Amino acid sequence: MAVRVQFENNNEVGVFSKLTNSYCLVAIGGSENFYSVFEGELSDVIPVIHTSVAGCRIIGRLCVGNRHGLLVPSSTTDQELQHIRNSLPDSVQIRRIEERLSALGNVVACNDYVALVHPDLDRETEEILADVLKVEVFRQTLADNVLVGSYCALSNQGGVVHPKTSVEDQDELSSLLQVPLVAGTVNRGSDVVGAGMVVNDWSAFCGLDTTSTELSVIESVFKLGDAQPSAVTSKLREALIDRCDVRVATFERYGFVGNTVSLADVFGKKLCYSFYLCCFAV
C-alpha cells in the first residue's frame, strides 16, 4: 500500500528516509507522527532505525542500499556507523566509502539486483557497489539528467522514472532492470521522484501532496496491492462465495429451513442474527 506522510511539513520523503526489504532508515528530529506512520507499516517485518548521516538529517540522499547492504559516505561518523551497524540485521553489510560524489542517494538508484549510477562515478565505487549490494551496475542518465537516484524510484516489482523519459529509453531501462517502468511524478507534479518517495516490495511512502492519480500509478507499477493482506482476504472471500455451500440452521423468518444455500444468498438476505454453519462443501 502507498501511504502519504510528511517530515516536518516537507513532502520530500525520500530525502529524510531510506527504505529497503531488510531495513528502513529515518532521520532523527522528526515528529512522532512521521515515525508512527513508518513503524505502523514496517516494524513487524523490518527494523526502523532512527539515525543521522554525517551529522545531517538528509539521510536518503547521502546513502544507498538494498536488502544485501548499505553504503554511506566517508563523512559518516564512527558513532553513527556503529549505531547503524548494531541496528541492522546480521545479514546486511555496511560500508563507508570514499567518493567524490558523496551524495550517494542522488547518484545511485538500485533494487536488489541492478543499480543505475551517475556516468562519472568512480570505478572503485562501482566495484564496491557490485560487491556489497550484490548488483549489476550500469552507468545511465534519465531524460538527460545524470542524478539517476533523484529522478528514479525502483523496487524488485517495478519503477517510476522522470516524466520526460522517452518511450525508447523506458524500454531500454526496463530490459536492463527486468521490471516494468512508468514515467510519472509525485507530490502533485514533482519530477524528482527519488526524493519524493521511498518504496520496497510491499509498501511505499510519498509526500502528503501526492495526488490520488499519482498514488494509483505508484500502487499499480510497484504491484503494492498484490502483497497486501487485504487483497489476499478479498480473494479468499470471493473464492468462498463462489465455491462454498453452507447448510444453515432453521431460520423460518428468512425462509431458510435446513436448506443448502450459497454464501452469496446468505449475505444477500442480510442476515443480521448469528447463524450456525452445519457443514462446508467445497
Side-chain angles (χ1 to χ4, degrees):
M1 184 172 68
V3 181
R4 295 184 181 100
V5 65
Q6 267 188 334
F7 184 90
E8 298 293 290
N9 296 320
N10 193 311
N11 288 303
E12 305 298 336
V13 178
V15 172
F16 301 101
S17 59
K18 174 65 68 177
L19 177 61
T20 74
N21 289 331
S22 296
Y23 56 88
C24 176
L25 305 181
V26 291
I28 58 174
S31 67
E32 199 57 42
N33 183 52
F34 176 77
Y35 299 131
S36 65
V37 171
F38 279 87
E39 289 166 359
E41 292 289 326
L42 304 171
S43 59
D44 291 341
V45 187
I46 58 176
V48 179
I49 304 165
H50 299 228
T51 187
S52 60
V53 172
C56 300
R57 297 195 294 178
I58 54 171
I59 58 173
R61 300 301 86 205
L62 294 179
C63 65
V64 63
N66 61 14
R67 70 182 175 90
H68 301 294
L70 175 67
L71 299 178
V72 294
S74 57
S75 52
T76 306
T77 67
D78 292 340
Q79 185 179 10
E80 290 167 339
L81 193 68
Q82 191 61 46
H83 167 62
I84 297 172
R85 180 176 284 128
N86 291 341
S87 304
L88 288 174
D90 294 338
S91 59
V92 178
Q93 296 184 58
I94 181 170
R95 181 86 63 89
R96 187 163 47 186
I97 61 173
E98 293 279 350
E99 167 60 49
R100 180 175 57 86
L101 303 171
S102 59
L104 299 173
N106 285 336
V107 296
V108 180
C110 71
N111 59 19
D112 292 339
Y113 304 101
V114 181
L116 305 178
V117 302
H118 190 295
D120 297 332
L121 200 73
D122 287 348
R123 185 68 61 183
E124 183 182 349
T125 302
E126 182 181 336
E127 292 171 0
I128 294 172
L129 268 170
D131 179 47
V132 175
L133 303 187
K134 298 179 173 57
V135 291
E136 289 186 82
V137 181
F138 299 98
R139 295 175 183 267
Q140 197 71 39
T141 61
L142 291 171
D144 297 325
N145 292 292
V146 293
L147 298 179
V148 289
S150 298
Y151 294 100
C152 176
L154 297 176
S155 78
N156 298 329
Q157 306 296 326
V160 178
V161 296
H162 191 287
K164 292 185 179 178
T165 305
S166 66
V167 175
E168 293 79 11
D169 286 348
Q170 288 180 52
D171 291 341
E172 179 188 344
L173 287 170
S174 185
S175 64
L176 280 179
L177 299 167
Q178 293 297 300
V179 294
L181 295 179
V182 65
T185 60
V186 293
N187 293 327
R188 205 179 295 274
S190 171
D191 55 11
V192 193
V193 291
M197 64 174 291
V198 290
V199 63
N200 66 9
D201 285 355
W202 67 87
S203 58
F205 299 88
C206 312
L208 211 57
D209 284 345
T210 303
T211 66
S212 57
T213 303
E214 289 169 338
L215 272 184
S216 65
V217 169
I218 288 165
E219 289 185 338
S220 175
V221 73
F222 290 114
K223 301 180 176 65
L224 298 179
D226 297 349
Q228 295 307 305
S230 58
V232 175
T233 305
S234 299
K235 289 177 182 177
L236 287 174
R237 189 181 298 118
E238 290 167 4
L240 281 171
I241 290 173
D242 288 342
R243 299 181 56 206
C244 294
D245 284 342
V246 182
R247 182 169 297 276
V248 184
T250 302
F251 284 97
E252 293 181 351
R253 181 174 176 182
Y254 291 96
F256 296 131
V257 186
N259 294 328
T260 299
V261 295
S262 70
L263 276 176
D265 292 332
V266 175
F267 294 130
K269 291 285 187 178
K270 297 182 180 177
L271 290 179
C272 300
Y273 299 95
S274 60
F275 57 92
Y276 300 91
L277 304 184
C278 299
C279 65
F280 278 93
V282 181

